[in-house]
Amino acid sequence: MSDAPDPETATLPPLAEVLAALRVVTIPTRTRFRGISVREAAILDSPLGASEFSPFPEYGDGEASAWLAAALDFGWCEQPAPLRDRVEVNATVPAVAADRVPEILARFPGCRTAKVKVAERGQDLADDVARVRAVREAMGPDALVRVDANGGWGVDEAVTALRALAEFDLDYAEQPCGGVDELVEVRRRLSTGDAGEGPLLGEGTASEGSGVLPSPLVRIAADESVRKAADPLAVARAGAADLLIVKAQPLGGIRRALGIVAEAGLPVVVSSALDTSVGIAMGLHLAAGLPLAERDGAQGAVLAGACGLGTVALLEGDVCSDPLLPRDGAIEVRRPELDPELLARYAAPAARERWWRERVARCHALLSASR
């Protein structure tokens, strides 16, 4: 591990230094993703390499401040040494029509795992089934296929949908419902075959001492219940998930995320939030800091397969001339150099630049007050 100070108590770089290092970019997406067609990000040309602050605009300052803590930690503090130099990644398939699936998969050369977005507003289960079927048919029976609902289903919808999708031999379903209690209930029904509508099970319903219910028909992974929660460990204590999806920025940085993962004691997959290559580099360093069960003999808090870090392929451009894109199903662990020409090409309009600078100032003030 690094000798760097505790990321939650370390002295922050002065705001003036942060703002002097900051450039705001706006990059179109290749297809609509999470309801957006343009990705905005604040890029920091910081002392130890480029860093990124890119919480989505709708996030409040309290939530966004964790993202700034991550950006400052990655840009101004030494990080743990990686355990490997490449990280396997998955293809990410947005909520597109089934006939567009081959086009999307072609952007992720060599990837043998795919995460498919489901539960999109304005679509129905038939759309999800068609999309997942198209992915399974395109990738073959030996590939791993995951689905991600981003909390878009209620309990009954989730159970119905996952039973319908189980025929495609899913690796897991990510955040089928929004709440921890809902995830517990979905796992219970998928484990027992219960289709009833009894009261939701809350904390304490897991097997005593284990914190985990029996394995369900489809494994459940928690994302938003970890990164958006005041207590990111609640999902593990409640037995609400079989594994965790972790992102470096929302959890306050690599070192804090590693601590949360170790305490949770569940297998993890590292993912991103449609970052530029700079943010992806942070995620790659987090993934590379976790042991692999089959290689390192570790159990519990281990990296559980391909990571959702290939999403630069979903952007029309990047801020680095040598972007972090999948090659042979994996991405090299490195910190890419910023390209001044690309920063200029994708520079945000003045009003958006000002909005992000004001946001950084507010989040910096919140972090300063908490130390």
Side-chain angles (χ1 to χ4, degrees):
M1 292 291 290
S2 167
D3 293 328
D6 185 333
E8 298 193 59
T9 60
T11 302
L12 297 175
L15 177 60
E17 182 179 341
V18 175
L19 293 177
L22 186 147
R23 298 285 297 275
V24 180
V25 296
T26 177
I27 302 175
T29 62
R30 289 186 170 187
T31 187
R32 198 165 181 81
F33 187 85
R34 286 187 85 260
I36 66 172
S37 56
V38 172
R39 185 65 168 115
E40 294 183 336
I43 305 299
L44 296 163
D45 189 4
S46 35
L48 297 184
S51 193
E52 177 171 333
F53 170 65
S54 54
F56 292 99
E58 66 269 23
Y59 291 0
D61 292 345
E63 183 175 356
S65 63
W67 296 60
L68 183 61
L72 300 182
D73 186 62
F74 194 55
W76 273 263
C77 298
E78 294 288 346
Q79 300 299 309
L83 301 178
R84 65 195 66 87
D85 58 10
R86 286 172 62 81
V87 171
E88 183 185 0
V89 297
N90 62 248
T92 299
V93 180
V96 297
D99 61 5
R100 292 195 61 196
V101 163
E103 164 205 338
I104 300 294
L105 292 176
R107 301 174 189 167
F108 299 88
C111 292
R112 298 300 300 150
T113 301
K115 180 169 80 171
V116 187
K117 291 292 186 176
V118 294
E120 181 85 352
R121 288 184 182 180
Q123 298 185 7
D124 58 24
L125 180 55
D127 296 311
D128 294 337
V129 169
R131 186 180 312 113
V132 175
R133 176 181 286 112
V135 170
R136 172 57 73 197
E137 290 176 351
M139 298 189 72
D142 296 330
L144 294 179
V145 178
R146 307 159 173 171
V147 295
D148 180 8
N150 287 116
W153 289 319
V155 170
D156 293 337
E157 288 178 298
V159 172
T160 298
L162 293 178
R163 284 176 177 158
L165 293 168
E167 69 170 287
F168 303 112
D169 190 22
L170 298 181
D171 184 26
Y172 59 74
E174 182 175 331
Q175 202 70 44
C177 303
V180 172
D181 289 354
E182 292 176 305
L183 294 180
V184 172
E185 179 67 1
V186 169
R187 288 193 78 251
R188 185 187 72 80
R189 293 194 197 176
L190 292 176
S191 299
T192 64
D194 180 12
E197 299 182 11
L200 296 185
L201 301 178
E203 288 190 24
T205 58
S207 302
E208 184 67 30
S210 71
V212 179
L213 294 173
S215 295
L217 175 67
V218 177
R219 294 193 302 165
I220 302 300
D223 176 9
E224 285 87 347
S225 291
V226 177
R227 64 180 170 88
K228 295 177 77 71
D231 179 4
L233 295 172
V235 68
R237 286 196 298 270
D242 300 277
L243 65 159
L244 305 181
I245 309 299
V246 296
K247 295 180 171 75
Q249 282 198 73
L251 292 179
I254 293 169
R255 292 178 292 148
R256 184 168 184 267
L258 288 172
I260 290 170
V261 167
E263 194 170 349
L266 290 175
V268 301
V269 169
V270 178
S271 191
S272 67
L274 201 59
D275 304 337
T276 74
S277 284
V278 174
I280 294 297
M282 194 188 306
L284 289 168
H285 280 76
L286 170 57
L290 289 162
L292 296 171
E294 66 273 17
R295 185 178 305 172
D296 303 324
Q299 296 181 340
V302 297
L303 195 62
C307 293
L309 297 171
T311 50
V312 172
L314 299 177
L315 298 175
E316 285 286 4
D318 193 37
V319 294
C320 305
S321 57
D322 186 14
L324 292 173
L325 292 167
R327 293 186 178 92
D328 298 323
I331 302 179
E332 180 185 0
V333 179
R334 59 183 174 87
R335 297 185 76 154
E337 297 288 332
L338 295 174
D339 185 318
E341 181 180 330
L342 292 173
L343 288 170
R345 179 185 306 173
Y346 294 111
R352 297 307 297 164
E353 173 95 14
R354 183 168 58 252
W355 186 90
W356 277 91
R357 287 178 173 275
E358 291 171 353
R359 188 186 204 190
V360 166
R362 295 193 305 271
C363 291
H364 190 279
L366 287 176
L367 292 176
S368 296
S370 69
R371 305 200 174 198

